[in-house]
Amino acid sequence: MQVPEEIVHAAGLIPVVIWRGNEAVTWGHSHIPPYYCGIVRSFIDDAVRGKLGFMDGMIFHVRQCLLIMDIPLIIERHVKPEYMKLLYLPPVYPGEATRDFLISDLELFKKSLEEYTGNTITDDMLKSSIAVYNENRSLLERLYEIRRKKPQILTSAEVMKIVWAGMLMQKEDHNELLKELLPLMEAMTIEPTTKIKVIPIGCLCQIPPFDVLNMIEDLGMVIPDDDLYVGSRYFANKVNMNDNPIEALAERHLKKTPVCPTKGVWDVLWADDVEEMVKLNNASGVISIHVKFCPPHACYYPDFKSRMIEKGIPEILVQVEHEMLSMEGIKTRLQSFTESLGGE
Amino acid sequence: MGFAPTFIFAFAMGMKCHFMAGYSAYCGGIGAAAEVLQAAEMGGDLAESCSYHRLHMGMAEAVKRNIPINPDAILPIPDIMIAGRLCPEMAYYAEGLNRRLGVPVLPVEFPIVFDREDVPRIKKYFAAQIKETVIPTLEKVCGKPFDYDRMSEILTVLKKVVTVRNKCWEFFKEKPSYWTLWDYGVSIAPLFYMMGDPVGITYYEKLLKELQERKEKGIPAIGPEGEKYRLYWDGWLPWAFLGKFMRKLTPHAAVCLTGRYLWEFYPDPDMIDPEHPVETWINLYYDGKEPLAMEYAPKGALHEIGNLIEDYSLDGMIMFSSKTCRLWNISQLDVIDMLEKKYGVPGVIIEGDMIDPAMVSDSQIDTRLEALFELIDARRR
C-alpha cells in the first residue's frame, strides 16, 4: 500500500502488492502475536513456512502503520530475499520538509533498484511506466462507471477479483484483459435494480473476505461502488505527468483524498468523501468493514460513525478477521441493517 | 500537549505541557483508567484501539457529554496539540481530538529508524520540521519569538538532572540491587513535567542519597536476602498494574532492573550542549554510538538489550507485549530468540496492557513467569 509501483515497473521488475493468504496462521504464531491484523499474520506465516522463496525482492513501507514494522526483521531472518528495501514515506503533513523528504525517499528507492538490477532507470522509462499505470487506473475507473450504471453486472466479489488481479500480474496484461472485458460489459443489458444500494468502506490495505461481500448481496442489497483498498482506493488519483516523474509520484502520494487514516490527514474528513460517494450512487447506507486489529481504522472509526449519524446516513460496522470463526454474527448484523433500510 | 522529542520546545515558550504517556501513567496511578476507558467506549471507541488513545478520547467524551468521571482525570482543553508521530497512534489521538474538540494540531513526523544508513537523512528531515514548522507555529500560538535562551537554561538544568540520575542508574549494577525499575519509573516525572526546574536536581540528589544509604546499611530492593532473578523488562511499564506485577515478582525474589523504554530518556548527558539548544536536542535522538531513534526498531533493540544484559548481569527477559500498543512489540518474538541464542539468557512474552484491566490476565502472567524462572533455574544447573 502506498508504495509507488511505477518505480519497480520501470526497473523491469513485476511489482506485486502484498497479499493475505488463504490458509490459517500456524507457524507464524511463533513470530507474531494473535492480536495483529490478518494480512501481517498471514504474510509472516507464509514467510516462516518457506512459501515466499519465489519472490526476488521485497519492499516495505514501514511508516504505514505499527504492525507492518514487524515484518522486515522476520523477512530478513527467514526469507532472505535478494533485494529488500524499507521506505519511510511520510504522512501528508504541511511544509516543504515533508515533500523534500518524500522525494529523497523515492530517489533512494529508484537508486537501490538500479543497483539491484544493474540498469539505469531513466526519466523516460519512468514516464512510460506511469503511463501504463495511469491507463490501468482509467480502465478501472471505466469499469466502476459501468458498474455504477448497472450495479448487478458483476458481483462485488468479482469486481474485487478484477482489481486484485491487477495487483498481482503484469500491468500491461491486466490492461489488455480490461480492454477485452469493458466493451462486453458496456454492451450488456441489465434490468435496472430496485434493490437497496449500499457502499462498503474500509479494509484499508487488504481484501475483504469474499463471503462477507457475497452475504451482503445474498441479503438483498447491491453494491454499486466501494471505498475499499482492493477497490476504488487502489486506482484513485492518476499521476499528473510533469517533467520530473519522481516529483509527480510524490505529488500523488501527497493527495489527501481518498482520506486514509494512515496518512495523517485531519483537515479533510473521510465521512465527507463517503457522503459524496453515497450521493453519487444514490445509496441507502454504508457498511464499514473493519479488519480486526487495524489500529488506523479502529482509531478513526468513532469519528467516522458520529459524522455518519450527523449526516443521517445509515451505517453499520462489520469486523472481519483472517480466520473467520463464525459468519453468523455478521449475518445477524447485516440482516438487521437491511431491514432497517427497508429491505426484507 | 506533545511527546518526548518535541515538548521541550513548548516548555521553552513557557507553555504548560501534558504528554500522552504521562497522562496515561497518571490515570493509571490514580486508579481512574477503567472509568475513563468506559467513557471512551460510550463514544464508540473500539476496545482494541491503543489504550493511551482511548484514555484521551474517553476524557474528551466525558467533557463533551458530561459523563461523570474522576475529576482529577480531566485535563483542560489544550491550545495546541503537538502530534509527534513516533508511532502512528501518537498522531491518531491528536487527530481524533482535533475532530472532536477542534483543537489545532501541530504534526511532526518522527520515524523509527530501522537501519543506521538511514539515520542522517531522517535526522535532517526531523530537524527541518522543527525549524520549518514547530518553532514558527509555537511562535504564532504564543505571540512571541522563540525563546532560545530559555531552551538553553532548560538544557543546562536537564544536563545536571540526567548526570545525577545516571549515578542513581549505576545502582542497578549492584548485586543485590538497591532499587527496581518500578522505583525508577515512578521517579521519572521530574525529568519531564519539571523539565528545566532545578527542583529536578534536588529530587535526584535525594534519591541518590537514599540509594547510598541503602547500600551502606545493606538494604536491598527486595527481601532480606536480595534478588534471585535479575530481569530485563521490555516495553511500556504497566502503569495501572505496577503493584500487581511487583506482588507477582517479589515472592520469587525476582526484580526488574532495566528496560529500553525508560532508558531512552537521555542516557548520555555529555551530548547535551546548552550553547546550541535546538541542534543538541536533535543530536540527542540521532547521534551517538546507538541513536535513540533506532532503539524502537529491532536492530537497535537487539544492540541495546544486549548491552543491558551484559552491563547489568541479567538472568532473564520479560518482554511485555501490549495488546493495544505495538510500539515496543516490533518483532519481539524474534528478538527474544536472537538474544537467547547470543547471550544464553531466556525470555518470555507477557501479554497485557499498560492501562486496560480487560487486557490483563493473572493466570497468563503467573504461568509465563513460572516458565521463565524454571528456564533460568535449568540453565544454572
Side-chain angles (χ1 to χ4, degrees):
Chain A
M1 191 170 110
Q2 296 173 19
V3 173
E5 294 173 53
E6 291 91 334
I7 301 177
V8 184
H9 184 272
L13 305 169
I14 303 176
V16 173
V17 178
I18 182 172
W19 65 92
R20 184 170 60 82
N22 56 4
E23 293 176 5
V25 176
T26 54
W27 294 6
H29 279 153
S30 298
H31 301 267
I32 189 104
Y35 35 90
Y36 274 59
C37 69
I39 194 164
V40 168
R41 288 189 300 114
S42 163
F43 197 74
I44 285 176
D45 192 57
D46 281 352
V48 298
R49 288 165 69 197
K51 292 175 71 180
L52 300 179
F54 67 97
M55 302 296 295
D56 295 308
M58 294 196 194
I59 301 141
F60 299 104
H61 168 22
V62 289
R63 295 302 290 163
Q64 177 183 306
C65 68
L66 259 182
L67 283 67
I68 202 84
M69 295 183 201
D70 268 71
I71 296 180
L73 180 76
I74 296 170
I75 294 294
E76 268 187 48
R77 286 190 81 198
H78 303 283
V79 183
K80 302 181 179 69
E82 280 180 26
Y83 171 81
M84 188 158 149
K85 178 72 182 163
L86 305 186
L87 300 182
Y88 294 85
L89 307 177
V92 189
Y93 284 172
E96 283 303 302
T98 290
R99 190 173 177 278
D100 292 347
F101 179 75
L102 171 59
I103 289 170
S104 78
D105 211 35
L106 296 181
E107 292 282 6
L108 280 172
F109 179 32
K110 180 166 85 97
K111 192 176 163 208
S112 76
L113 285 166
E114 287 173 335
E115 286 167 0
Y116 170 58
T117 60
N119 301 320
T120 303
I121 302 172
T122 64
D123 279 3
D124 284 344
M125 290 159 86
L126 203 41
K127 284 179 183 176
S128 171
S129 294
I130 289 171
V132 171
Y133 272 73
N134 274 350
E135 184 181 24
N136 190 255
R137 291 178 184 115
S138 294
L139 291 165
L140 287 169
E141 271 175 16
R142 219 170 111 207
L143 176 92
Y144 268 58
E145 280 164 16
I146 299 168
R147 180 210 204 184
R148 222 170 271 135
K149 288 176 193 158
K150 309 174 193 175
Q152 288 169 292
I153 193 163
L154 292 170
T155 66
S156 188
E158 286 168 337
V159 173
M160 297 294 109
K161 286 173 189 171
I162 291 169
V163 179
W164 194 20
M167 296 172 158
L168 302 175
M169 65 192 290
Q170 187 91 25
K171 257 331 179 247
E172 290 88 339
D173 294 345
H174 195 243
N175 286 349
E176 290 309 310
L177 290 170
L178 284 170
K179 283 178 201 169
E180 286 178 30
L181 174 70
L182 293 175
L184 297 173
M185 286 176 66
E186 277 168 343
M188 281 176 77
T189 305
I190 302 285
E191 288 296 311
T193 182
T194 56
K195 288 185 173 180
I196 292 166
K197 292 179 184 169
V198 291
I199 308 289
I201 72 150
C203 278
L204 297 173
C205 74
Q206 57 185 286
I207 198 149
F210 292 134
D211 288 348
V212 172
L213 298 173
N214 293 339
M215 187 184 281
I216 292 169
E217 288 162 341
D218 291 346
L219 287 167
M221 294 178 271
V222 67
I223 297 171
D225 206 342
D226 64 63
D227 186 30
L228 301 166
Y229 173 60
V230 186
S232 68
R233 286 175 169 263
Y234 179 65
F235 58 86
N237 297 327
K238 291 192 195 67
V239 179
N240 288 324
M241 201 78 83
N242 63 19
D243 286 342
N244 186 325
I246 289 288
E247 286 183 16
L249 289 166
E251 293 306 329
R252 179 174 187 262
H253 178 83
L254 293 172
K255 299 269 188 211
K256 291 187 174 181
T257 56
V259 172
C260 179
T262 64
K263 286 179 77 173
V265 175
W266 71 90
D267 51 349
V268 180
L269 297 176
W270 188 4
D272 292 345
D273 271 8
V274 173
E275 182 184 27
E276 287 299 309
M277 192 176 273
V278 166
K279 284 180 183 167
L280 179 68
N281 291 280
N282 195 23
S284 302
V286 169
I287 298 173
S288 292
I289 306 180
H290 172 246
V291 173
K292 201 147 173 57
F293 307 117
C294 171
H297 194 176
C299 290
Y300 200 118
Y301 177 69
D303 294 333
F304 178 82
K305 185 174 186 66
S306 62
R307 295 280 171 174
M308 287 286 107
I309 292 168
E310 282 170 24
K311 291 170 185 291
I313 299 173
E315 181 268 352
I316 193 163
L317 175 70
V318 169
Q319 281 193 302
V320 295
E321 295 188 65
H322 177 63
E323 298 96 348
M324 294 295 290
L325 298 177
S326 166
M327 296 294 283
E328 285 308 307
I330 293 176
K331 190 170 184 181
T332 306
R333 288 179 74 79
L334 289 174
Q335 267 174 337
S336 307
F337 188 59
T338 320
E339 288 163 15
S340 74
L341 295 177
E344 294 173 358
Chain B
M1 288 196 175
F3 81 126
T6 54
F7 60 68
I8 191 170
F9 298 98
F11 275 137
M13 294 298 272
M15 300 173 87
K16 289 195 189 314
C17 292
H18 135 76
F19 65 104
M20 189 191 200
Y23 171 71
S24 306
Y26 167 74
C27 272
I30 63 171
E35 57 185 305
V36 182
L37 291 173
Q38 275 179 359
E41 279 190 45
M42 290 168 74
D45 273 283
L46 304 178
E48 66 183 65
S49 301
C50 167
S51 55
Y52 285 3
H53 173 93
R54 278 184 288 141
L55 276 179
H56 288 81
M57 297 304 125
M59 190 257 295
E61 284 302 314
V63 170
K64 252 174 77 177
R65 300 182 185 204
N66 217 12
I67 300 168
I69 58 169
N70 184 337
D72 291 337
I74 294 174
L75 294 172
I77 304 298
D79 296 308
I80 191 160
M81 288 179 292
I82 305 175
R85 194 171 176 268
L86 167 64
C87 75
E89 273 87 336
M90 286 180 178
Y92 301 154
Y93 93 109
E95 293 164 15
L97 288 177
N98 173 272
R99 288 190 289 266
R100 294 186 196 193
L101 301 175
V103 182
V105 179
L106 166 53
V108 186
E109 170 73 337
F110 182 76
I112 291 171
V113 187
F114 280 69
D115 291 304
R116 179 170 279 280
E117 65 190 33
D118 294 318
V119 170
R121 65 196 188 91
I122 290 176
K123 176 183 175 182
K124 188 178 161 196
Y125 175 36
F126 182 62
Q129 291 178 90
I130 297 295
K131 288 168 187 168
E132 182 188 277
T133 315
V134 174
I135 289 175
T137 305
L138 291 176
E139 285 177 330
K140 196 173 164 190
V141 170
C142 298
K144 61 180 183 183
F146 186 72
D147 195 339
Y148 292 93
D149 292 339
R150 178 60 190 142
M151 188 168 173
S152 290
E153 288 169 14
I154 291 170
L155 286 167
T156 302
V157 172
L158 182 67
K159 185 168 180 148
K160 289 177 185 166
V161 167
V162 175
T163 302
V164 182
R165 191 274 319 270
N166 277 10
K167 289 180 184 168
C168 299
W169 257 354
E170 287 296 304
F171 279 82
F172 283 125
K173 290 180 179 167
E174 298 281 346
K175 292 172 93 171
S177 176
Y178 298 100
W179 65 326
T180 73
L181 189 66
W182 271 219
D183 299 322
Y184 177 63
V186 298
S187 303
I188 203 167
L191 200 63
F192 295 124
Y193 282 100
M194 297 175 199
M195 190 178 274
D197 187 335
V199 75
I201 304 170
T202 312
Y203 179 89
Y204 283 109
E205 282 174 344
K206 276 188 180 174
L207 182 58
L208 179 62
K209 193 173 166 211
E210 185 184 333
L211 288 167
Q212 283 163 339
E213 282 175 6
R214 289 180 76 102
K215 185 179 178 182
E216 285 160 16
K217 292 176 183 170
I219 307 170
I222 55 162
E225 289 87 31
E227 71 256 356
K228 185 177 173 191
Y229 305 107
R230 295 168 63 85
L231 303 175
Y232 166 81
W233 178 274
D234 200 54
W236 296 114
L237 289 198
W239 296 113
F241 315 105
L242 292 175
K244 176 194 281 287
F245 275 97
M246 193 55 99
R247 285 188 289 277
K248 289 183 183 300
L249 291 163
T250 308
H252 295 278
V255 57
C256 292
L257 298 172
T258 64
R260 262 190 299 163
Y261 166 47
L262 295 174
W263 249 233
E264 73 179 302
F265 301 116
Y266 327 121
D268 194 349
D270 292 339
M271 287 179 66
I272 300 174
D273 174 11
E275 294 295 312
H276 302 93
V278 175
E279 292 73 16
T280 204
W281 191 252
I282 293 161
N283 293 345
L284 268 182
Y285 286 89
Y286 292 100
D287 285 358
K289 275 196 296 188
E290 282 307 307
L292 290 175
M294 285 189 68
E295 200 182 284
Y296 309 96
K299 286 178 189 165
L302 282 164
H303 189 274
E304 180 64 27
I305 300 170
N307 284 345
L308 293 172
I309 287 171
E310 290 193 323
D311 293 349
Y312 295 85
S313 313
L314 302 178
D315 302 309
M317 298 176 285
I318 296 175
M319 313 300 272
F320 184 60
S321 174
S322 167
K323 290 183 180 177
T324 68
C325 169
R326 288 103 178 160
L327 175 61
W328 299 99
N329 299 3
I330 302 171
S331 307
Q332 221 171 18
L333 283 156
D334 276 61
V335 166
I336 289 186
D337 184 46
M338 294 166 84
L339 288 167
E340 276 195 33
K341 283 177 177 148
K342 184 167 181 186
Y343 297 96
V345 171
V348 291
I349 295 273
I350 286 187
E351 296 169 0
D353 194 78
M354 348 28 123
I355 293 294
D356 190 345
M359 306 280 176
V360 176
S361 150
D362 276 292
S363 54
Q364 181 251 152
I365 298 168
D366 293 340
T367 309
R368 301 272 171 96
L369 284 180
E370 281 164 16
L372 176 65
F373 300 140
E374 282 177 26
L375 280 167
I376 296 172
D377 289 343
R379 289 184 191 196
R380 281 175 174 166
R381 283 191 204 120

